[in-house]
């Protein structure tokens, strides 16, 4: 039987509204049970998470968390979207990236993608990683250029690539007013990647031509990816993109273009990460900040950013790459909810080389599922009104604006790049993040957590590097790089000897006492490609030596409860040492046990531990 509420009575009407103090009191009780005696605001702080850029995510947000007025979608400050209808007008543009050098092979990939959900093309043209300029016509054969916008990436020869694309428009009868896409000029981004001093004149020349002849084309990309890929935080990426955009505005207006026309020639590109809330806040914050730039430049109505979001290359892993599908799904969700106009989902095998047809299919279908089955494109600004998102947007905007002002005080982006200011700042940020990664405070599923050392690697055709041999520029980092180096050592050892380096898991007592720490140790050593041998299920001082010899390992780790450590750790460690163990670890917080050389525990420097173990084992 269904009980219906009385007319006009809400089902929750009998429950009084709880106060913040009541909630905080309950939090204090929970923390007290876990051994933390804190009260008041300290209880809330104990559940808070510190992010980069000095941001702190709190456990609870309420209507009292104030943030600036976000306005309306399609109107300044454009926080809620650059267009009034947002992505609810039909979803975002699904832009697939292609970097193939063979025109016929590229053509096959383009036609397949366009027939199955892709709505625009991002092509690398020229150089070692792109289709030759004289092969562009063959690559685009059968592509309806009046329907499929083309975004060029031509780091080697912008002039030749842009000239050829415009020639194809003319040859195939595409009216100049119907041409869509971007020519991809980004001299400052190229300087950031290569260290070669930027010449802004070609970008200015193409921008003026597009404004005069091709109203649907944009000439310049303000690319935040070089800074994201160098280890920069979200705030640093936004601050540097603002500085880049301002540098281009100065060059364009100095050449005689109005601020409105200059803003219309810019497309902004940002990384979308698996932290979906930070991605949402990033895209909303940067629209607000660019609106402020346009306002200060005397053209407030021109501050609507055109945004292209790309799933983060930094987060993509080479081990267990299938997990990348989940990461890119979260990133795409964040990009779509955040209001990106175009979204590129990098295939799950992006870090391994050239993607295959299956990987490209999954990438394009990620957007399709989110739009058509999850209905993300049916709501304008889905995150609008969330106290957490609005507050995070405001705090991120403040951090990005502060860094942008630092860059401007340093003489603008060109000067900051050439002085090393940018490189030093990003290096410091990446060093701090690397320390968290090494300690697994920022876990990487399939790499630093739940690794599968015995899994058959996924192999792909190597992808040419557009920036190979560049004389300088910012580095390109990946979250998995420290653990990848360890796994590569293990792979080399396997190839040379036929087996992986091993660690013997000496579990003490019953399963209830040791299972948690056994799981921890297996995961920890597996992250370095070290095979954990847990056989037999448990040992004692009498059986440990024989078990170690049978395992073939020269390093052992004790796993059990603190109580059993007090009873047995020294005797078992002594037996292992007598049997030839070169090193004995204990899984748990440091304590004094004879025969135990070191401890491994949650929060220890896993990279340092694993490196030292491989060194001791003689794994080159």
């Amino acid at each position: 039987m269904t009980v219906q509420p009385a007319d006009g009575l809400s089902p929750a009407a009998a429950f009084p509204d709880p106060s913040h103090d009541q909630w905080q009191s309950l939090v204090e009780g929970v923390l007290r049970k876990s051994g933390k005696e804190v009260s008041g605001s300290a209880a809330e702080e104990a559940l808070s998470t510190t992010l980069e850029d000095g941001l702190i995510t709190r456990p609870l947000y309420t209507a009292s968390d104030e943030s600036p007025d976000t306005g309306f979608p399609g109107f300044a400050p454009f926080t809620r979207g650059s267009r009034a209808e947002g992505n609810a007008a039909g979803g975002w543009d699904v832009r697939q990236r292609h970097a193939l050098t063979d025109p016929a092979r590229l053509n096959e990939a383009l036609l397949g993608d366009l027939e199955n959900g892709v709505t625009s093309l991002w092509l690398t043209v020229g150089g070692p990683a792109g289709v030759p300029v004289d092969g562009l016509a063959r690559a685009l054969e059968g592509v309806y250029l009046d329907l499929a916008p083309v975004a060029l990436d031509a780091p080697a020869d912008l002039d030749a690539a842009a000239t050829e694309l415009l020639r194809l428009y003319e040859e195939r009868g595409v009216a100049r007013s119907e041409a869509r896409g971007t020519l991809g000029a980004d001299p400052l981004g190229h300087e950031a990647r290569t260290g070669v001093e930027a010449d802004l004149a070609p970008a200015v020349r193409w921008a003026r031509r597009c404004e005069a002849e091709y109203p649907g084309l944009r000439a310049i990309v303000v690319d935040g990816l070089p800074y994201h890929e160098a280890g920069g935080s979200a705030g640093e990426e936004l601050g540097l993109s603002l500085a880049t955009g301002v540098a281009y505005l100065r060059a364009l207006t100095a050449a005689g273009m109005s601020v409105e026309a200059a803003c219309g020639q810019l497309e902004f590109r940002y990384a979308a990460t698996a932290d979906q809330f930070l991605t949402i806040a990033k895209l909303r914050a940067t629209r607000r900040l660019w609106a402020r730039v346009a306002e200060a430049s005397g053209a407030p109505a021109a501050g609507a950013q055109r945004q292209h979001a790309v799933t983060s290359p930094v987060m993509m892993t080479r081990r267990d790459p299938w997990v990348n599908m989940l990461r890119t799904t979260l990133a795409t969700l964040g990009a779509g909810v955040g209001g990106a106009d175009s979204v590129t989902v990098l295939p799950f095998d992006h870090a391994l080389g050239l993607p295959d047809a299956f990987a490209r299919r999954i990438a394009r279908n990620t957007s399709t599922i989110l739009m058509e089955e999850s209905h993300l494109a049916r709501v304008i600004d889905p995150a609008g009104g969330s106290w957490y998102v609005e507050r995070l947007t405001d705090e991120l905007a403040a951090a990005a604006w502060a860094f942008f002002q630092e860059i401007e005080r340093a003489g603008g982006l060109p000067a900051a790049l050439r002085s090393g200011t940018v490189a030093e700042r990003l290096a410091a940020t990446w060093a701090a993040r690397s320390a968290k990664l090494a300690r697994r405070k920022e876990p990487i599923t399939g790499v630093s957590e739940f690794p599968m050392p015995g899994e058959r690697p996924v192999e792909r055709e190597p992808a040419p590097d557009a920036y190979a041999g560049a004389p300088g520029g910012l580095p390109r980092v990946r979250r998995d790089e420290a653990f990848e180096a360890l796994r590569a050592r293990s792979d080399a050892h396997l190839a040379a000897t036929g087996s992986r380096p091993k660690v013997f898991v000496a579990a003490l007592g019953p399963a209830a006492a040791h299972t948690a720490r056994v799981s921890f140790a297996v995961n920890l050593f597996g992250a370095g490609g070290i095979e954990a041998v847990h056989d037999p299920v448990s040992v004692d001082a009498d059986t440990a030596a024989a078990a170690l010899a049978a395992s073939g390992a020269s390093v052992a780790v004790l796993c059990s409860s603190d109580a059993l450590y007090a009873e047995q750790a020294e005797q078992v460690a002594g037996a292992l040492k007598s049997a030839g163990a070169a090193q004995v670890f204990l899984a748990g917080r440091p304590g004094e046990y004879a025969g135990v050389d070191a401890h491994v525990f949650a929060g220890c420097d896993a990279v340092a531990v694993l490196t030292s173990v491989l060194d001791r084992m003689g794994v080159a």
Side-chain angles (χ1 to χ4, degrees):
M1 182 178 69
T2 302
V3 178
Q4 299 292 339
D7 289 346
L9 180 64
S10 167
F15 299 94
D17 292 334
S19 68
H20 187 271
D21 289 341
Q22 288 175 310
W23 173 82
Q24 203 169 73
S25 177
L26 293 173
V27 170
E28 292 170 9
V30 172
L31 291 173
R32 198 173 298 118
K33 291 178 182 178
S34 65
K36 296 182 179 180
E37 292 291 338
V38 290
S39 60
S41 60
E44 197 164 343
E45 291 172 4
L47 298 179
S48 298
T49 302
T50 301
L51 308 176
E52 292 177 321
D53 300 307
L55 307 182
I56 296 176
T57 298
R58 303 198 310 275
L60 180 68
Y61 290 83
T62 68
S64 63
D65 290 292
E66 298 180 353
S67 59
D69 182 14
T70 55
F72 297 98
F75 295 89
F78 302 104
T79 306
R80 304 196 63 199
S82 297
R83 298 168 291 152
E85 70 278 13
N87 281 328
W92 53 86
D93 166 40
V94 180
R95 181 176 294 177
Q96 192 89 322
R97 178 181 180 272
H98 294 87
L100 291 169
T101 57
D102 178 44
R105 187 177 170 191
L106 175 57
N107 177 254
E108 181 181 1
L110 297 182
L111 295 179
D113 287 345
L114 289 169
E115 290 172 359
N116 292 283
V118 166
T119 54
S120 73
L121 307 172
W122 182 13
L123 307 180
T124 301
V125 181
V131 64
V133 172
D134 59 10
L136 188 58
R138 172 67 183 92
L140 293 174
E141 193 173 290
V143 175
Y144 294 103
L145 295 178
D146 53 340
L147 299 178
V150 174
L152 294 180
D153 181 10
D157 195 342
L158 168 68
D159 284 343
T163 299
E164 177 65 3
L165 180 62
L166 298 188
R167 187 192 70 78
L168 289 175
Y169 284 138
E170 296 291 331
E171 180 182 276
R172 299 185 185 180
V174 178
R176 293 188 175 189
S177 60
E178 297 300 317
R180 297 287 184 272
T182 173
L183 302 183
D186 184 24
L188 289 173
H190 187 68
E191 177 175 348
R193 289 190 184 277
T194 65
V196 177
E197 187 168 329
D199 177 9
L200 273 59
V204 171
R205 185 173 65 253
W206 284 109
R208 296 183 68 181
R209 183 173 178 186
C210 285
E211 188 223 349
E213 303 176 24
Y214 295 87
L217 280 181
R218 294 172 186 251
I220 298 175
V221 170
V222 177
D223 195 353
L225 290 183
Y227 312 110
H228 171 75
E229 290 188 81
S233 66
E236 289 164 347
E237 181 187 354
L238 297 192
L240 288 162
S241 72
L242 288 177
T244 305
V246 167
Y248 290 149
L249 281 187
R250 288 178 176 136
L252 294 173
T253 54
M257 293 179 67
S258 67
V259 175
E260 291 83 356
C263 287
Q265 287 300 309
L266 305 181
E267 179 176 274
F268 290 76
R269 184 177 295 148
Y270 298 105
T273 72
D275 187 334
Q276 70 268 34
F277 288 110
L278 191 60
T279 296
I280 293 167
K282 177 198 287 190
L283 297 177
R284 299 173 94 248
T286 191
R287 286 197 297 269
R288 169 181 153 189
L289 296 177
W290 187 247
R292 178 69 186 99
V293 169
E295 180 185 34
S297 301
Q305 257 193 9
R306 174 78 185 181
Q307 292 182 334
H308 173 203
V310 182
T311 57
S312 164
V314 175
M315 72 180 180
M316 305 292 269
T317 63
R318 287 156 278 196
R319 306 288 170 159
D320 202 357
W322 316 103
V323 183
N324 292 329
M325 296 183 194
L326 307 179
R327 297 185 179 102
T328 55
T329 298
L330 287 169
T332 307
L333 183 149
V337 172
D341 301 287
S342 300
V343 179
T344 295
V345 181
L346 296 180
F348 73 88
D349 52 2
H350 172 79
L352 298 171
L354 292 174
D356 64 5
F358 172 73
R360 293 201 317 276
R361 171 185 165 195
I362 294 298
R364 63 178 180 256
N365 282 344
T366 301
S367 284
T368 301
I369 288 173
L370 290 173
M371 287 189 283
E372 302 298 334
E373 297 188 23
S374 299
H375 309 302
L376 289 189
R378 295 190 179 185
V379 181
I380 300 172
D381 187 25
S386 161
W387 295 316
Y388 170 45
V389 172
E390 299 291 10
R391 187 61 179 265
L392 183 60
T393 298
D394 184 46
E395 292 175 348
L396 181 57
W401 189 260
F403 185 48
F404 163 63
Q405 290 179 313
E406 286 184 36
I407 297 298
E408 288 296 286
R409 284 194 293 269
L413 182 64
L417 282 173
R418 292 157 201 168
S419 69
T421 299
V422 172
E424 291 172 7
R425 172 69 176 258
L426 300 184
T429 299
W430 181 243
R433 189 176 180 190
S434 295
K436 290 177 62 179
L437 289 164
R439 294 181 178 278
R440 304 196 297 175
K441 296 294 187 181
E442 182 182 333
I444 311 172
T445 303
V447 177
S448 67
E449 296 284 355
F450 311 111
M452 300 175 67
E455 184 180 36
R456 183 177 178 180
V458 176
E459 297 182 356
R460 289 291 183 266
E461 179 184 346
D465 186 351
Y467 298 98
L474 299 174
R476 281 180 287 172
V477 302
R478 292 188 189 275
R479 288 198 310 161
D480 68 349
E481 58 188 23
F483 291 97
E484 177 62 26
L486 296 169
R487 295 285 290 273
R489 292 176 67 180
S490 172
D491 289 349
H493 187 77
L494 174 64
T497 66
S499 65
R500 291 197 180 275
K502 294 181 175 65
V503 60
F504 174 60
V505 178
L508 313 181
H514 67 236
T515 295
R517 280 173 170 161
V518 165
S519 297
F520 165 81
V522 170
N523 270 321
L524 173 68
F525 287 98
I530 301 171
E531 180 184 344
V533 180
H534 182 202
D535 184 27
V537 172
S538 64
V539 298
D540 54 26
D542 295 329
T543 61
L548 175 70
S551 73
S554 61
V555 173
V557 55
L558 301 178
C559 298
S560 193
S561 65
D562 291 344
L564 284 176
Y565 284 153
E567 295 175 7
Q568 302 182 33
E570 292 189 357
Q571 293 86 346
V572 174
L576 292 169
K577 283 292 185 70
S578 298
Q583 192 171 25
V584 176
F585 288 94
L586 183 144
R589 286 288 174 178
E592 294 297 327
Y593 300 102
V596 172
D597 300 300
H599 293 70
V600 288
F601 49 89
C604 71
D605 189 333
V607 171
V609 168
L610 296 171
T611 299
S612 68
V613 170
L614 291 176
D615 289 345
R616 183 178 289 270
M617 291 178 174
V619 178

